[in-house]
Amino acid sequence: MNRKPFAKHRLSGQIGLVVLSAVLAAPVLADSSFGIDANIELDTDAVKTSSSSTQYNQGGRVEVNVHGEHRMGDHFVKAKGTGLLKKGGDTGTDDMWIMFGSNAWDLQAGRFEALNLFPLGKDTLIAHAGGGQASVYEANLVRGRVSDGGQFAFHLNASDNLSFELASAYGQGDKTRAFSGIRPSVTFRADAFSLSAGYEHQRFDESGGATVDKDGVGVTAGFNAGDAVINLSVSHLRDSSASDEVKVNSYGANVTYGPFGAGLIHSKTSLSGASDPDVTTAYAAYTVPLFDIDRASVTFAGSTSRASNVATDKTVNALRMRFNYAF
């Protein structure tokens, strides 16, 4: 029996399958990416306030990220989902968004964080005194990751140095208002300097009948001084939700130098017909590797805070040890 025609046909079929597989795989390899990663943070805390004895606690979470992107020419679609497995037994969602557009513009929707107008630097632990009576406004009313409603954001890259963002909150409160918050911002970047400024307005009716009506502005500047990164921020909030208007002015300064970081926050709340509470908080953190193992570390952090014209927690001192490992 002559086997040569059969062998030749089988060889041709194999070559055809290889060529077809290469053709199908080429766009995926060139234009698409997909990844899964995870990490764990475990915090052990000790907190002492002027109103209570020292409290000891341990918390943390495992974070699982799924992300993918597909590009075709100048356009792209990408998405990310972040699930949280919390130490207390609960689960949650951090990020869950889709983004599409081009290198010049894009639209993002879902659950995410918009531009940071009050960066805190190495904020492993920040515990404010005042029991919430002395507020700190971080220009984040409409920044995002809202648990009530959703978000949209439009980004425009005017040049390599100038970019714009229009973030918004959607369907909060009693769901009778489509866009419950809006937050335009602009950023200028140079080699070792960046400057961002933004305004936000939040207004919606809550299910119980109350109205949320707030306006705020934030400005932040970042500097690179050798290996150190310095952030300076200022923000102002006007809360007109109640009959007595409340105003908050907050200031922040921090530096990160390698594994070390430190910061200072001062904030004053202006009340109608009452003494104005204020709070000052200092914090620091230092990270060291665990046995020089890649992606494993322990961070030691501390925070001290003092408030005036408040009824409780006039001082708060806290310590934290955080273990982190990226799988």
Side-chain angles (χ1 to χ4, degrees), residues 175-321:
K175 312 297 183 182
T176 60
R177 185 185 298 266
F179 289 95
S180 51
I182 190 168
R183 189 179 190 258
S185 61
V186 58
T187 298
F188 172 80
R189 295 182 179 88
D191 291 338
F193 171 77
S194 66
L195 180 66
S196 299
Y199 162 80
E200 57 182 357
H201 173 69
Q202 183 184 54
R203 182 179 174 85
F204 60 89
D205 295 324
E206 295 181 312
S207 300
T211 298
V212 174
D213 187 4
K214 300 178 181 180
D215 295 271
V217 294
V219 179
T220 183
F223 309 86
N224 292 333
D227 294 331
V229 179
I230 302 170
N231 295 308
L232 302 175
S233 306
V234 59
S235 61
H236 172 75
L237 169 69
R238 183 182 64 185
D239 186 351
S240 304
S241 303
S243 56
D244 293 332
E245 188 175 78
V246 177
K247 296 181 180 180
V248 180
N249 293 308
S250 300
Y251 311 89
N254 56 77
V255 58
T256 302
Y257 183 77
F260 173 77
L264 183 69
I265 298 171
H266 176 74
S267 185
K268 185 174 183 179
T269 303
S270 299
L271 304 175
S272 299
S275 299
D276 297 340
D278 67 81
V279 60
T280 301
T281 304
Y283 57 96
Y286 186 77
T287 300
V288 296
L290 278 175
F291 309 117
D292 289 327
I293 295 176
D294 190 28
R295 302 191 303 275
S297 65
V298 56
T299 299
F300 302 97
S303 171
T304 181
S305 182
R306 180 178 296 273
S308 60
N309 297 323
V310 296
T312 183
D313 293 346
K314 294 183 178 181
T315 62
V316 174
N317 297 301
L319 296 173
R320 169 170 291 171
M321 180 176 62

Side-chain angles (χ1 to χ4, degrees), residues 68-131:
E69 181 176 1
H70 185 88
R71 285 187 171 271
M72 182 171 292
D74 188 43
H75 296 87
F76 70 89
V77 177
K78 62 181 178 181
K80 180 182 178 182
T82 301
L84 301 177
L85 307 175
K86 301 180 181 180
K87 183 180 176 297
D90 297 332
T91 59
T93 303
D94 211 359
D95 286 334
M96 196 286 290
W97 51 262
I98 184 171
M99 177 187 290
F100 55 88
S102 68
N103 294 331
W105 65 272
D106 64 70
L107 181 66
Q108 189 174 11
R111 176 185 168 93
F112 54 91
E113 282 189 318
L115 178 69
N116 192 350
L117 291 173
F118 203 94
L120 301 173
K122 200 172 181 70
D123 58 344
T124 305
L125 174 63
I126 300 177
H128 294 297

Side-chain angles (χ1 to χ4, degrees), residues 93-175:
T93 303
D94 211 359
D95 286 334
M96 196 286 290
W97 51 262
I98 184 171
M99 177 187 290
F100 55 88
S102 68
N103 294 331
W105 65 272
D106 64 70
L107 181 66
Q108 189 174 11
R111 176 185 168 93
F112 54 91
E113 282 189 318
L115 178 69
N116 192 350
L117 291 173
F118 203 94
L120 301 173
K122 200 172 181 70
D123 58 344
T124 305
L125 174 63
I126 300 177
H128 294 297
Q133 299 174 53
S135 301
V136 175
Y137 172 59
E138 298 178 7
N140 56 0
L141 298 175
V142 195
R143 189 186 176 197
R145 284 183 178 166
V146 296
S147 56
D148 174 28
Q151 300 170 242
F152 291 95
F154 175 76
H155 304 101
L156 176 65
N157 298 315
S159 68
D160 293 338
N161 304 106
L162 190 64
S163 60
F164 301 89
E165 179 183 74
L166 180 60
S168 64
Y170 182 83
Q172 292 178 290
D174 63 1
K175 312 297 183 182

